Every structure is written in C-alpha cells, then in structure tokens.
Amino acid sequence: MAPTLSPMIVAIDGPAASGKSTVARLLGERLGVPLLNTGAMYRAVGLACLDAGLDLEDAAACEARANSLDLDVTSVGVVTVEGQPVAVEREEAGSAASRVAVHPGVRARLVALQQEFGRRYGCVAEGRDTTTVVFPDADVLVFLAASPRIRAERRARQEGAPERAEEYAREIASRDERDASRAVAPLRPAPGALRLSSDEATPEQLVERIAQAVEEACP
Ligand code: DC
C-alpha cells in the first residue's frame, strides 16, 4: 500500500521582533504552503471578548466565548469570524490577545483549530508554542532569535522612532524574562529546533537556510 502523504508543516517560534513574521511569510511563499499566523487567532478571540464586553481576566467567560465563536481559518490562512476576515491589526487587539492567551480553555480551542488546519493544508505556522505544543512533530522546527539590541532597533524603525531604541531594548529584555518564565507556554526553543539568529542574516538568507532543512527533512 502506498504511504499516506501528510502535508508539509514548518513551525517557527521566537521572541517578539525577531523577524519571524517576515521569514514565515517568505518561507510560505517559497514552499507554496499557507502561512498560519497563530497570533492573529488569539487577536481575533481577544477582540471578540472585548466586543462582548467581557472581563478579559475572567477565564470561564473568555473560554465560553472562544468555544462558541464561529472562528475559522481559510485555506490561504485568513482568520475569519462568522465568515468575515478579522481586522487583527486593530490597536487594542494585541493587548487583548495577550490577556486571553493565558486562559487554558482559550488555548485548547485554538490549538485544536491550528492542528486541524495543519493536517488539512500543511502550513508554515508562526507563533509562541507552535514548536512546543501545536506541532512538535513538524517536518522542521525553527527557533528564530535576535539580540535585544537588534530587536529594539527593528521595533524603533517600525514605529518611526529611532531615538527610542534604548528604551525599547530595556522593555524587550524585561518582556523576554517574563515570557521565558511564565507558566503557560513559556518562550523556549523546542528540542531539536533549528536555532537561527536574525542578527547577521537577512530574511532571504534565513529562508534559504530553512528551505535547505526542509529539503533534507522531506527529500
Ligand atoms: O504574535 P502576536 O503579537 O500577533 O501575538 C499576540 C498575542 O497572542 C501575544 O501577546 C502572545 C499571544 N500568542 C500566544 O500566546 N500564543 C501564540 N501561539 C500566538 C500568540
């Protein structure tokens, strides 16, 4: 009997502003598989809880909302609620996401959706816990790091405020400390992950390196 071919999955994790979104997007285009932006899913749930007027610290209420929400991800990786794309870049979405992401029931619903998406379409999955919890058996696992200084400079450029790089560097270092030590899905490289740094490599060079690893894993 012919072996069942499962679609290709690459999972990319790493600290904020390490460049993983850009690398994941370019890699998805190169491999011809959809990008699964897991942060966008937490943002969609965060916004839905906010719009429903819930207390975002109330685990039971947020979990019930997450479970009843008609949330989906299209075959090209667009997050929808009730069939409509969600504007996840809205200002308040990021902070709402990080507040609802601590509730285990919210994570359980989203992890199940993410795994279902990966099984069906294959993907380049980007986000915290994609390498450790969601797809620990992915074809390739990547942990993309960068020094706090480089990440602060990148963030400052993105924000159009280069003079604030020092301040961002301090903030980033303390957030890393908090992220790495939190109880739920802490930031840490998965065993066997390919560890890369964007300090001295362009996104294109990183994509090339990961594509090589994919080639070796799925000849
Ligand atoms: O990557 P992002 O900024 O879009 O993520 C928004 C928030 O969601 C961030 O605070 C961390 C959380 N998140 C998470 O807990 N697990 C994921 N897999 C992705 C994001």
Side-chain angles (χ1 to χ4, degrees):
M1 196 164 63
T4 314
L5 285 177
S6 51
M8 175 193 299
I9 298 180
V10 178
I12 305 183
D13 192 0
S18 67
K20 61 185 191 299
S21 303
T22 306
V23 168
R25 181 173 48 75
L26 294 174
L27 183 69
E29 287 167 8
R30 158 120 177 214
L31 299 176
V33 293
L35 173 67
L36 180 65
N37 177 348
T38 60
M41 299 172 73
Y42 286 92
R43 285 167 180 256
V45 172
L47 285 176
C49 291
L50 210 56
D51 291 346
L54 301 182
D55 170 4
L56 303 187
E57 291 8 283
D58 182 342
C62 293
E63 288 169 0
R65 182 86 183 111
N67 282 317
S68 64
L69 198 64
D70 175 17
L71 179 73
D72 206 357
V73 186
T74 69
S75 61
V76 291
V78 175
V79 178
T80 63
V81 168
E82 286 164 8
Q84 298 302 314
V86 185
V88 288
E89 50 299 324
R90 258 168 68 183
E91 182 72 30
E92 64 274 34
S95 96
S98 80
R99 290 165 69 195
V100 299
V102 301
H103 305 315
V106 170
R107 302 200 73 83
R109 165 97 210 273
L110 296 191
V111 167
L113 278 172
Q114 291 155 9
Q115 290 174 333
E116 162 77 21
F117 183 90
R119 260 196 304 277
R120 186 178 297 181
Y121 304 110
C123 59
V124 175
E126 179 231 319
R128 186 69 37 83
D129 87 346
T130 51
T131 57
T132 48
V133 176
V134 189
F135 299 118
D137 301 323
D139 296 293
V140 175
L141 301 169
V142 179
F143 189 84
L144 181 59
S147 61
R149 186 179 55 79
I150 295 284
R151 288 155 55 208
E153 285 171 7
R154 183 177 290 128
R155 179 58 45 92
R157 263 198 317 277
Q158 283 166 353
E159 306 278 328
E163 72 286 356
R164 297 182 63 187
E166 280 295 314
E167 182 192 330
Y168 285 133
R170 277 193 301 277
E171 263 175 43
I172 283 177
S174 81
R175 178 135 61 100
D176 280 358
E177 171 66 32
R178 193 169 59 238
D179 280 0
S181 58
R182 72 180 185 183
V184 181
L187 174 67
R188 66 178 58 129
L194 176 63
R195 296 169 74 147
L196 299 174
S197 163
S198 63
D199 277 6
E200 272 144 37
T202 63
E204 289 74 15
Q205 288 167 332
L206 293 165
V207 166
E208 189 57 41
R209 178 70 194 85
I210 301 168
Q212 250 175 40
V214 171
E215 182 73 21
E216 286 159 21
C218 317

